[in-house]
Amino acid sequence: MTAPRTPEPGTKLPAVGTTIFTVMSALATEHGAVNLGQGFPDFGCDPKLLDAVTAAMAAGHNQYPPMTGVPLLRERIAAKIEALYGRHYDAGSEITVTAGATQAIITAILALVRPGDEVIVLEPCYDSYVPNIELAGGVVVRVPLVPGSFRPDFGRIAAALSPRTRAVLINTPHNPSGTVWTAEEMRQLEELLAPTDVFVISDEVYEHMVYDGALHQSVARFPGLAARSLIVSSFGKTYHVTGWKVGYVAAPAVLTAEFRKVHQFNVFTVNTPMQHALAHYMADAAPYVDLPAFYQRKRDLFAEGLARTRLRLLPSEGSYFQCVDISAVSDLSEADFCQWLTREIGVAAIPLSAFYGDGFDQRVVRFCYAKRDETLRDALTRLAKL
Ligand SMILES: Cc1ncc(COP(=O)(O)O)c(C=O)c1O
């Protein structure tokens, strides 16, 4: 008998290795650095939300919920979208609860993208988009946002459209840059896609983090976009519970039907007590209505401190990310600068090059300010040397 042997699996994702978030978080721990790298809050959620989970479990909500999500939660999501963005989605046929935005995005891509279909991503972009498209057998078409301003360049998006384009992935408020698309930009996208059969996957996980009185421009506000879009959002970002991994997709019934065909076989159902708790908690709009003020104060606290350094601040119009230009401080590449900053200054950040397929380096790094004021002050004391 020959010795047991694990067959060589090859790889479906040759370009994928350990993510920069894991690398930087490990380095931050090793050097006792303040971790402003990975995007998650270091503070707790509202205790009422925790009580609602306990109550849901005690009430016996511990078995599989409906495949599409707990009905009351879908109704509350639909009511919220209608109240905020003026579009009615049917809770029965147009809203699906997902295991976070990550599962929502890969499910949307697997449902829509066929082998050889082109999908446009606007770089820099969230790291799951490209591998998701590749797993579906799609062809990734990378279009850069304008370097420096990170605004969409509609000339370049138009040039990237082809008869094989199946979908465009957009993300506003934007990770990593913190830009927020304007109504005019959304209208430009609407106009550009009007003569096409291209779908939009709209990643709106930071929808409740838009500052300085601006409004989130959901695709739901634009009829021509809403008709061709799957909207992705996440309770993790809105309610400070990124570890819960509960989100949702809102899309016209025909798109939702295709989405659910994949959803029922890649996750089937999503955590029952959390869904009941979120449904209960959503009855009060205050937590998401008050969120911009909550984060804008943190953004300003952090920005005021950074303004005393030679780091040049880029606008953080939304999300919980602050980008800075490092060129007055260092000649290092973004990635080397982040390593140096973690080791020598004691603050972890993420290089923007990590969000580009070709590692484009524009001397900009990203900090996350979803942190307690003490954490931000500690980081600022360390960064004051720059
Ligand atoms: C732009 C963007 N999309 C999606 C996600 C994933 O969200 P979730 O944790 O709900 O899967 C994140 C999380 O960081 C994100 O920044």
Side-chain angles (χ1 to χ4, degrees):
M1 216 174 70
T2 53
R5 183 181 63 87
T6 303
E8 175 53 53
T11 178
K12 293 179 109 175
L13 296 170
V16 172
T18 311
T19 74
I20 185 73
F21 307 102
T22 307
V23 171
M24 293 312 302
S25 288
L27 200 68
T29 307
E30 190 188 327
H31 292 274
V34 183
N35 191 355
L36 304 189
Q38 210 171 352
F40 61 87
D42 72 343
F43 44 85
C45 69
D46 187 342
K48 280 190 224 147
L49 187 51
L50 302 181
D51 292 345
V53 177
T54 312
M57 288 196 273
H61 295 302
N62 299 302
Q63 308 307 331
Y64 296 130
M67 183 270 280
T68 56
V70 164
L72 181 61
L73 180 57
R74 281 185 281 114
E75 279 159 30
R76 296 240 151 111
I77 293 166
K80 184 188 77 151
I81 296 174
E82 187 159 4
L84 293 179
Y85 310 129
R87 179 159 310 278
H88 176 73
Y89 286 87
D90 179 67
S93 61
E94 300 188 315
I95 305 278
T96 311
V97 179
T98 63
T102 309
Q103 184 248 322
I105 294 164
I106 191 168
T107 303
I109 289 172
L110 290 173
L112 287 180
V113 178
R114 303 155 302 187
D117 281 347
E118 293 178 0
V119 182
I120 296 176
V121 298
L122 307 179
E123 285 192 324
C125 67
Y126 186 61
D127 62 350
S128 76
Y129 300 169
V130 166
N132 287 178
I133 297 163
E134 289 170 351
L135 283 173
V139 176
V140 179
V141 177
R142 302 165 193 274
V143 175
L145 295 164
V146 176
S149 72
F150 302 101
R151 309 295 338 165
D153 179 337
F154 289 100
R156 293 192 76 155
I157 299 172
L161 286 170
S162 89
R164 287 184 304 281
T165 308
R166 181 71 164 166
V168 182
L169 262 150
I170 65 169
N171 170 218
T172 178
H174 184 238
N175 176 12
S177 74
T179 52
V180 172
W181 284 32
T182 62
E184 180 49 32
E185 285 166 336
M186 298 300 284
R187 272 192 289 273
Q188 277 183 265
L189 183 68
E190 187 177 39
E191 214 168 282
L192 184 65
L193 299 183
T196 74
D197 283 337
V198 171
F199 297 103
V200 175
I201 298 170
S202 184
D203 182 342
E204 303 185 12
V205 298
Y206 299 104
E207 64 179 316
H208 299 298
M209 298 171 205
V210 175
Y211 312 126
D212 305 315
L215 290 178
H216 169 57
Q217 299 299 335
S218 173
V219 291
R221 294 182 188 270
F222 302 86
L225 289 174
R228 62 178 73 240
S229 294
L230 294 106
I231 300 173
V232 174
S233 194
S234 172
F235 293 108
K237 310 288 178 188
T238 304
Y239 293 146
H240 318 308
V241 287
T242 58
W244 286 15
K245 301 298 287 187
V246 184
Y248 57 88
V249 164
V254 277
L255 296 183
T256 295
E258 288 309 310
F259 179 89
R260 289 176 176 176
K261 285 182 190 172
V262 179
H263 178 81
Q264 71 178 333
F265 295 123
N266 75 356
V267 68
F268 181 46
T269 60
V270 174
N271 193 306
T272 310
M274 262 66 174
Q275 288 195 60
H276 281 276
L278 288 163
H280 172 79
Y281 193 68
M282 279 185 88
D284 181 8
Y288 57 82
V289 170
D290 296 344
L291 202 60
F294 173 82
Y295 272 123
Q296 186 172 323
R297 199 190 56 76
K298 288 195 180 290
R299 177 197 68 171
D300 293 346
L301 185 160
F302 189 50
E304 267 166 44
L306 285 182
R308 291 194 283 272
T309 72
R310 286 172 301 145
L311 297 166
R312 187 172 63 79
L313 275 81
L314 277 58
S316 174
E317 301 168 335
S319 80
Y320 45 45
F321 300 113
Q322 173 68 62
C323 286
V324 297
D325 185 311
I326 62 171
S327 32
V329 174
S330 169
D331 290 330
L332 294 172
S333 70
E334 292 172 1
D336 288 346
F337 178 82
C338 288
Q339 297 256 352
W340 173 82
L341 196 71
T342 308
R343 287 202 174 92
E344 305 299 327
I345 303 293
V347 179
I350 299 288
L352 246 66
S353 50
F355 299 85
Y356 288 88
D358 64 358
F360 174 59
D361 191 317
Q362 58 199 310
R363 325 298 314 291
V364 174
V365 304
R366 187 198 82 176
F367 293 111
C368 170
Y369 54 78
K371 306 292 169 189
R372 286 173 288 140
D373 290 1
E374 305 90 272
T375 310
L376 294 174
R377 288 203 187 95
D378 184 5
L380 287 171
T381 305
R382 295 167 187 231
L383 292 166
K385 297 187 197 95
L386 302 180

